[in-house]
Amino acid sequence: GNSVTQMEGPVTLSEEAFLTINCTYTATGYPSLFWYVQYPGEGLQLLLKATKADDKGSNKGFEATYRKETTSFHLEKGSVQVSDSAVYFCALIKAGSARQLTFGSGTQLTVLP
Amino acid sequence: DTGVSQDPRHKITKRGQNVTFRCDPISEHNRLYWYRQTLGQGPEFLTYFQNEAQLEKSRLLSDRFSAERPKGSFSTLEIQRTEQGDSAMYLCASSSSQGKGTEAFFGQGTRLTVV
């Protein structure tokens, strides 16, 4: 079946540090890949997505590249801010499915001033 | 557009009681999803509607769970004879099958505590 494995947290960084959150997946076919973010007290929000191999999704300074050869979709940001503190979820949608998301377990990020 | 709204935001119930949650999707979205999220885990898919038709149900959705979307707009999720293991955040999401923007938008969830 489909599954997503992401880096366990929590992750604590100082402001302006470089962020990487690892995500790997298992799926048949060519899934679409997503990063969702959940800020404290808020619902899940789509951060970025990539729908085919070698696509790079980007938003708010975050980037992730769909790597089919390593079945990975690692999230990166060059300089984190305190406001980036949140829980980050990697997810996939299986090609041709009803488009339900399969999520990883989430990574809590805390950025200290 | 007010986004996906869920009601109530919090529900505390005694074991054995029935509970019902409501989800109002984004108005032009024809797809609606229910997910369950337990502490420290990612959301898990429960069920999916396209318009009023329930097209897919997860094995997580036991016989005590039932979901409806009678007019293809709002949806309800009912849990009968609640158990402590049902304590979780129940999330609703909606999306459109048309155009390029088919990503799912989530509500803030209903947190259920069974005591």
Side-chain angles (χ1 to χ4, degrees), chain B residues 33-100:
Chain B
Y33 305 82
W34 285 99
Y35 291 83
R36 181 172 67 189
Q37 184 178 18
T38 53
L39 199 61
Q41 299 298 314
E44 295 174 295
F45 169 74
L46 292 178
T47 190
Y48 156 66
F49 290 85
Q50 180 147 322
N51 301 312
E52 67 276 7
Q54 188 174 18
L55 297 184
E56 194 157 336
K57 291 195 287 188
S58 162
R59 285 170 291 180
L60 293 175
L61 211 65
S62 77
D63 292 345
R64 297 184 296 104
F65 288 69
S66 62
E68 294 182 344
R69 194 183 183 197
K71 297 182 180 179
S73 56
F74 74 92
S75 175
T76 57
L77 177 68
E78 181 183 17
I79 309 174
Q80 296 183 326
R81 304 181 304 280
T82 52
E83 302 173 357
Q84 287 189 321
D86 298 330
S87 296
M89 178 76 84
Y90 290 84
L91 300 172
C92 178
S94 70
S95 69
S96 171
S97 61
Q98 305 298 318
K100 293 183 178 180

Side-chain angles (χ1 to χ4, degrees), chain A residues 48-70:
Chain A
L48 54 84
K49 67 177 183 180
T51 57
K52 61 183 187 296
D54 300 325
D55 268 3
K56 178 186 284 188
S58 60
N59 186 26
K60 299 181 181 179
F62 291 88
E63 293 183 340
T65 301
Y66 189 144
R67 300 286 187 201
K68 184 174 181 297
E69 64 277 11
T70 55

